[in-house]
């Protein structure tokens, strides 16, 4: 004889005689024990027909349906869980995922039936990008919204307020986790917004969303290339936005700065002949910018009075994959002895490749490095630490603009440092979270009752062109959101104007700063500092004088 029963998140089959088999299911619920010689149900209606009020069918077994989020959270062992409209528990905090807590206690906003869940693919343990900083900025922005706008943002159906509830799932550099968590957000949580931090996140999120055919607003905080152009396809119901410069603009800035450095090279004692230049790119390395960025650099790059292709033996293109020997690549680069190196790589090259190149160098003139966001990382500061000559050979063409309001940014940055004990960096993620929150308000109450990616796009486009201007941060939060309910506003972040283009999914930047590694004062450690020079996107020219502080 066999009995089937359900308890918590485990369904079991018990055979008299002592054999037990267990299988994990995705739901939790109270127990309903039924003597059974065949399947008990195929639909919830079958359970109702047996006279079990509120029972549901799970794995062909009738179990008692849930009644509250508290019940579900309790049965999930204290992990946040909600009772869905189908009377089944949905566990939000699967392994590796967390919801906001206040002194260790779950913030109860996830229980609100009007809550809007925001999936975050966090990368705080990544070795490739500064994911901890982006995550901290999102936490800080959400705390603003939770405390100032309690119990949530206005403008829901019937005028209800809707709390924003981020679900942060840690991926590190693990590709499998990126996919699994993206599917959790889309298929289980039904989150209308997914925030990711870098390229592989955005690509894998979009693949999961496309497979589900759900309208989700995908936001990549620091994607280093034009994600929409190579991740999105025809027929997608989802949309991708990003807060950094398009690859074409970034590449043009890199090419312009590299071309300008030719003058410095030619003025170096011992130089003669032609300038040699190398383009160094990671290909197939998880999270690497696509070859698109390199292609765009080559379109406008000129040295020795001609294009790279016309430079013959004075130009080399080095491409490597994750499994390639860094020692072998370094040997090839050092043998070529380029005067200028343009690395389109991740941060890993700063510690695994550049030191090897320097160690193997045989030329009389060492290379200038024209990096971008992959080089504006702490590992690059380690690379130049204690070597002023090397420090002065590194320039960074950054993707992020300088503060829109220095006083406001500095005040926010000080609060960040006080809370997290580290430098804030540009407030890209913080600005982005506010843009999403304001977009929800500006979109108005969704006609279907459920917020979609399409609604978010409509709301986002209402954050520019208005007669009233507001900044992110809690100072303008209440009055700004009240204004967003009434119509268009102009919303500005601390480093981003937040005037997204629907055609590109990006903020059209007018300038891209050139950073150096300098010193704030004598004896201070090296730091990434504005050089005073910028790349003007409209004119496609460098403007301002390059003057690195501390040189």
């Amino acid at each position: 004889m066999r009995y089937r029963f359900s308890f918590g998140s485990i369904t079991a089959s018990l055979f008299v005689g002592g054999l037990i088999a267990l299988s994990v299911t995705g739901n939790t619920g109270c127990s309903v024990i039924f003597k059974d010689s065949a399947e008990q149900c195929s639909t919830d209606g079958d359970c109702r027909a047996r006279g079990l009020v509120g029972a549901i069918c799970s794995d062909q077994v009738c179990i008692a349906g849930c009644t509250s989020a508290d019940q579900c959270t309790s049965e999930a062992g204290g992990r946040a869980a909600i009772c869905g409209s189908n009377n089944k528990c949905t566990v939000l905090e699967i392994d590796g995922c967390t919801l906001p807590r206040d002194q260790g206690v779950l913030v109860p906003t996830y229980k609100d039936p009007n809550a809007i869940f925001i999936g975050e693919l966090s990368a705080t343990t990544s070795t490739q990008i500064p994911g901890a900083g982006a995550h901290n900025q999102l936490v800080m922005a959400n705390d603003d919204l939770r405390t100032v706008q309690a119990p949530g943002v206005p403008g829901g159906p019937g005028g209800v307020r809707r709390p924003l509830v981020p679900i942060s799932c840690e991926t590190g550099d693990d590709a499998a986790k990126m996919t699994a968590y993206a599917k959790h957000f889309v298929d289980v949580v039904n989150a209308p917004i997914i925030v990711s931090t870098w390229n592989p996140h955005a690509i894998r999120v979009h693949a999961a969303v496309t497979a589900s055919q759900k309208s989700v607003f995908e936001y990549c905080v620091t994607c280093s290339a034009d994600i929409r152009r190579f991740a999105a396809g025809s027929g997608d119901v989802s949309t991708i936005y990003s807060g950094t410069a398009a690859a074409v603009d970034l590449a043009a800035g890199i090419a312009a700065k590299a071309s300008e450095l030719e003058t410095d090279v030619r003025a170096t004692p011992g130089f003669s002949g032609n300038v040699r230049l190398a383009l160094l790119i990671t290909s197939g390395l998880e999270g690497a910018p696509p070859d698109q960025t390199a292609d765009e650099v080559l379109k406008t790059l000129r040295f020795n009075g001609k294009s790279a292709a016309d430079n013959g033996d004075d130009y080399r293109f080095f491409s490597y994959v994750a499994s390639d020997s860094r020692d072998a690549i370094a040997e090839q680069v050092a043998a070529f002895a380029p005067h200028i190196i343009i690395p389109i790589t991740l941060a890993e090259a700063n510690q695994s490749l550049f030191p090897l190149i320097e160690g193997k160098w045989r030329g009389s003139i060492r290379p200038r490095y024209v990096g971008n966001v992959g080089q504006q990382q702490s590992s690059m500061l380690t690379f130049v630490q204690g070597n002023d000559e090397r420090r002065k050979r590194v320039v960074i063409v950054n993707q992020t603009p300088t503060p829109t309001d220095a006083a406001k940014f500095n005040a926010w940055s000080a609060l960040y440092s006080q809370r997290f004990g580290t430098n804030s960096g540009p407030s890209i993620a913080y600005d982005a979270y506010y843009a999403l929150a304001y977009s929800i308000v500006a979109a108005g109450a969704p006609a279907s009752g459920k917020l979609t990616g399409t609604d978010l796009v409509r709301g986002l486009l209402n954050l520019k062109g208005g007669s009233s201007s507001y900044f992110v941060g809690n100072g303008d939060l209440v009055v700004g959101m009240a204004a967003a309910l009434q119509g268009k506003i102009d919303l500005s972040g601390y480093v981003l104007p937040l005037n997204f283009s629907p055609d590109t999914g990006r903020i059209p930047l007018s300038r891209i700063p050139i950073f150096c590694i300098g010193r704030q004062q004598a004896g201070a450690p090296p730091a990434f500092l504005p050089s005073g020079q910028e790349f003007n996107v409209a004119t496609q020219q460098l403007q301002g004088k390059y003057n690195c502080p501390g040189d």
Side-chain angles (χ1 to χ4, degrees):
M1 182 178 296
R2 185 178 69 168
Y3 290 85
R4 288 169 65 100
F5 58 93
S6 174
F7 58 95
S9 61
I10 298 175
T11 299
S13 295
L14 171 62
F15 291 85
V16 174
L19 179 63
I20 299 177
L22 298 177
S23 64
V24 177
T25 69
N27 301 313
T28 63
C30 296
S31 303
V32 173
I33 302 177
F34 245 108
K35 181 177 178 179
D36 168 36
S37 58
E39 69 178 54
Q40 294 177 356
C41 59
S42 58
T43 67
D44 294 347
D46 294 340
C47 298
R48 306 291 197 276
R50 290 174 176 264
L52 299 174
V53 178
I56 59 176
C57 185
S58 177
D59 194 24
Q60 300 179 340
V61 179
C62 291
I63 64 174
C66 62
T67 58
S68 69
D70 285 333
Q71 173 197 344
C72 292
T73 299
S74 175
E75 293 183 1
R79 293 179 297 166
I82 57 175
C83 183
S85 58
N86 56 0
N87 295 111
K88 296 179 181 179
C89 290
T90 296
V91 178
L92 304 175
E93 290 186 307
I94 60 175
D95 289 347
C97 300
T98 58
L99 268 69
R101 281 173 165 73
D102 190 353
Q103 297 184 341
V105 179
L106 268 169
V107 175
T109 49
Y110 74 94
K111 304 176 188 179
D112 192 314
N114 298 300
I116 296 172
F117 293 103
I118 299 176
E120 180 204 352
L121 289 176
S122 180
T124 63
T125 59
S126 171
T127 60
Q128 307 295 347
I129 60 165
H135 172 72
N136 290 343
Q137 289 187 24
L138 294 176
V139 169
M140 195 171 178
N142 188 69
D143 284 351
D144 286 351
L145 291 158
R146 181 169 60 86
T147 55
V148 178
Q149 282 285 128
V153 297
V160 299
R161 302 183 73 87
R162 299 158 290 175
L164 305 186
V165 182
I167 304 175
S168 177
C169 297
E170 177 61 38
T171 69
D173 300 320
D174 191 317
K177 287 183 179 179
M178 296 174 197
T179 302
Y181 291 141
K183 291 180 68 64
H184 176 62
F185 296 149
V186 174
D187 296 332
V188 178
V189 180
N190 289 316
I193 303 169
I194 300 179
V195 179
S196 56
T197 314
W198 56 315
N199 283 2
H201 280 158
I203 298 168
R204 296 176 190 283
V205 165
H206 195 71
V209 172
T210 300
S212 72
Q213 283 298 295
K214 292 183 179 179
S215 176
V216 175
F217 187 91
E218 306 165 39
Y219 191 88
C220 184
V221 176
T222 55
C223 283
S224 54
D226 199 340
I227 286 294
R228 183 181 288 190
R229 286 175 60 184
F230 71 85
S234 61
D236 290 349
V237 295
S238 184
T239 188
I240 306 172
Y241 275 68
S242 180
T244 50
V248 61
D249 296 333
L250 176 66
I254 293 172
K257 186 59 187 176
S259 298
E260 185 192 62
L261 285 177
E262 179 178 349
T263 302
D264 293 342
V265 172
R266 292 187 178 279
T268 304
F271 174 83
S272 63
N274 290 333
V275 170
R276 293 184 300 276
L277 184 145
L279 190 62
L280 183 62
I281 183 171
T282 48
S283 181
L285 187 65
E286 187 63 56
D291 290 352
Q292 171 200 358
T293 304
D295 292 342
E296 295 291 349
V297 168
L298 293 175
K299 286 181 180 179
T300 57
L301 177 64
R302 293 185 66 80
F303 59 102
N304 297 324
K306 47 196 168 185
S307 69
D310 291 335
N311 261 280
D313 292 340
D314 293 322
Y315 167 71
R316 289 285 301 275
F317 181 95
F318 296 95
S319 178
Y320 66 95
V321 297
S323 59
D324 285 343
S325 165
R326 301 300 189 270
D327 191 78
I329 293 293
E331 180 63 37
Q332 295 174 36
V333 174
F336 176 56
H339 300 103
I340 300 171
I341 295 176
I342 300 177
I344 303 178
T345 63
L346 292 176
E348 63 90 24
N350 305 338
Q351 54 196 1
S352 71
L353 186 56
F354 299 159
L356 292 176
I357 292 174
E358 292 288 327
K360 295 176 181 293
W361 199 260
R362 297 184 287 275
S364 60
I365 300 177
R366 288 188 175 268
R368 276 84 167 159
Y369 296 85
V370 185
N372 56 81
V373 69
Q375 282 64 61
Q376 194 167 5
Q377 313 293 340
S378 60
S379 54
M380 178 57 81
L381 297 179
T382 301
F383 171 62
V384 304
Q385 183 72 44
N387 191 325
D388 256 15
E389 185 274 334
R390 182 182 296 178
R391 173 182 66 81
K392 294 176 181 179
R393 289 189 278 114
V394 177
V395 297
I396 307 292
V397 182
N398 199 349
Q399 298 187 38
T400 58
T402 50
T404 52
D405 184 302
K408 291 182 183 296
F409 171 79
N410 290 338
W412 170 83
S413 184
L415 289 174
Y416 178 99
S417 297
Q418 181 180 9
R419 176 168 179 177
F420 298 107
T422 60
N423 184 276
S424 68
S427 59
I428 301 175
Y430 183 86
D431 291 350
Y433 199 86
Y434 264 91
L436 295 173
Y438 270 91
S439 297
I440 293 170
V441 176
S448 64
K450 176 178 171 52
L451 190 70
T452 67
T454 302
D455 296 322
L456 264 294
V457 171
R458 184 178 68 253
L460 196 68
L461 299 182
N462 281 333
L463 304 185
K464 61 180 182 178
S467 57
S468 299
S469 299
Y470 303 94
F471 267 91
V472 300
N474 53 26
D476 286 349
L477 188 53
V478 175
V479 292
M481 287 202 165
L485 276 175
Q486 304 303 316
K488 285 181 175 290
I489 63 171
D490 264 321
L491 182 67
S492 180
Y494 291 141
V495 297
L496 297 172
L498 303 177
N499 56 337
F500 289 89
S501 164
D503 296 327
T504 65
R506 292 182 177 272
I507 297 169
L509 302 179
S510 60
R511 64 192 190 279
I512 298 176
I514 311 299
F515 282 76
C516 66
I517 301 179
R519 299 181 188 279
Q520 293 278 19
Q521 57 189 25
F528 298 107
L529 300 173
S531 69
Q533 190 176 51
E534 297 177 328
F535 176 72
N536 187 309
V537 175
T539 65
Q540 295 286 286
Q541 300 289 324
L542 292 170
Q543 61 185 32
K545 182 177 176 57
Y546 184 88
N547 184 19
C548 189
D551 282 359

